[in-house]
Amino acid sequence: MLITCPYCGPRDVIEFTYQGDGNRERPDPASQNFEAWNAYVYDRLNPAGDHNEIWQHSGGCRAHLRVVRNTLTHEISSVAFVRGDHSSAARRKAEDKP
Amino acid sequence: MAERQSPLEPELHVGSHGNFEHGVEILLTETRPGSIVQLAAWPGEEKKLIAAIRGVTGLALPDGAGGGLSDGVKSVFGFAPGKFTVTDEAEGLAAAFAKPVTPAIGTVTDLSHGRTAIRIAGPKAEWVLSKFFAIDFALPAFPVGAGRSTTHHDVFAQIQRTGTDQFDIYVFRSFARSFWEALCHASEEVGYEVQ
Ligand SMILES: [Zn+2]
């Protein structure tokens, strides 16, 4: 499986670390809403198809990435920086893309 | 500054090795730069950091991820969004960056004693490195001056192409000797010379 890092380009999955389900929404740290905390820790969509995930390019640029991966085919339909867009100096030039 | 000892020393054997009857096709050297510095810009401050790099080194970074260049004495390349490795044959680079890279722009980390720089050169450099790293070493995909961050068996490596047939690899000092040994083994089949 290859993940195309927006900075580094296509890299083997061994360079990446899975950081968990990208659909979770962390409650406010001061929140006493146990149902919200329970949902954050345990509730998962477990879809057969496209799944929002967080990956880190830990063996490369170390950026955290928002990845949409198909759980049936492993096809990756989108990859973006978690932190949002970066300046042109940080992005891959169009001609560098595979 | 304290005199630095090479972590490779017990395994650095100058001369020709391996299958070199038909000539050596790989040259291995430890380049021992005086300064290895890592610079990181806060989000939105990248252009100011790039200007500071130009001011200190005279090197104008090309646009784009992993872009870089070298003048043979000083080198710079991007290795992550807003982050750059800068090296100099001379010591004192971190001190030179301390002023222009203000706390509002980003950070300066002196890695001169934390990384070991190994140069692999020769017509089989791409071939040997392809045994280690799952990245494309072909010239169109990895142009001269450009940098890449990657891993070999959990040994993190930053690689800059400093010539058509030449790559400078920066590895953690504590892993450098075992990485060097592996590099020697991988070069045996084509014949290599340690300088
Ligand atoms: Zn990356």
Side-chain angles (χ1 to χ4, degrees):
Chain A
M1 190 167 100
L2 293 175
I3 298 177
T4 300
C5 171
Y7 188 86
C8 305
R11 295 292 180 94
D12 193 273
V13 71
I14 54 160
E15 289 193 3
F16 297 83
T17 312
Y18 184 53
Q19 300 283 38
D21 189 329
N23 300 300
R24 293 174 299 170
E25 229 179 284
R26 191 186 173 90
D28 185 289
S31 167
Q32 304 257 326
N33 183 337
F34 295 121
E35 272 180 26
W37 279 109
N38 187 76
Y40 171 69
V41 176
Y42 295 109
D43 289 358
R44 296 293 179 268
L45 296 170
N46 196 22
D50 282 349
H51 187 224
N52 297 319
E53 302 178 335
I54 306 294
W55 289 76
Q56 186 191 10
H57 193 190
S58 48
C61 67
R62 302 196 61 81
H64 288 86
L65 306 171
R66 223 170 249 297
V67 174
V68 178
R69 179 181 64 95
N70 189 302
T71 57
L72 297 174
T73 62
H74 287 310
E75 191 197 338
I76 292 183
S77 50
S78 103
V79 187
F81 293 118
V82 166
R83 206 167 67 177
D85 204 10
H86 282 277
S87 79
S88 62
R91 250 182 288 123
R92 249 184 128 62
K93 282 187 287 181
E95 61 265 34
D96 287 349
K97 279 199 175 138
Chain B
M1 268 201 167
E3 200 188 318
R4 240 178 291 163
Q5 286 196 314
S6 168
L8 309 181
E9 216 141 87
E11 294 298 331
L12 195 142
H13 307 297
V14 173
S16 299
H17 306 278
N19 186 19
F20 66 90
E21 292 80 9
H22 307 289
V24 295
E25 293 190 280
I26 288 289
L27 292 176
L28 295 175
T29 35
E30 185 190 1
T31 59
R32 308 186 76 156
S35 302
I36 304 172
V37 172
Q38 196 164 294
L39 304 171
W42 305 121
E45 303 293 321
E46 292 88 353
K47 290 221 155 66
K48 285 184 203 155
L49 184 65
I50 288 168
I53 292 169
R54 187 174 193 168
V56 169
T57 64
L59 298 174
L61 266 166
D63 208 17
L69 73 162
S70 174
D71 64 9
V73 177
K74 298 185 179 87
S75 301
V76 59
F77 58 93
F79 67 91
K83 296 179 183 171
F84 307 90
T85 293
V86 193
T87 69
D88 189 351
E89 278 184 7
E91 294 184 1
L93 198 56
F97 275 114
K99 213 172 177 192
V101 183
T102 63
I105 294 175
T107 59
V108 180
T109 309
D110 189 350
L111 297 174
S112 307
H113 293 242
R115 298 287 183 274
T116 297
I118 295 168
R119 174 167 293 168
I120 177 166
K124 289 287 185 193
E126 279 182 24
W127 169 265
V128 169
L129 288 181
S130 297
K131 301 188 208 180
F132 286 78
F133 305 104
I135 64 172
D136 192 347
F137 285 99
L139 196 56
F142 193 164
V144 174
R148 298 285 182 266
S149 310
T150 183
T151 341
H152 174 250
H153 282 261
D154 286 337
V155 177
F156 189 70
Q158 289 181 358
I159 307 170
Q160 184 179 29
R161 185 176 212 135
T162 47
T164 314
D165 281 343
Q166 179 173 298
F167 300 86
D168 292 353
I169 310 169
Y170 299 89
V171 291
F172 297 131
R173 184 187 164 93
S174 53
F175 284 127
R177 195 185 302 162
S178 79
F179 181 76
W180 170 263
E181 276 191 77
L183 210 49
C184 291
H185 287 311
S187 306
E188 264 172 12
E189 59 152 345
V190 296
Y192 69 98
E193 183 183 336
V194 176
Q195 290 180 324

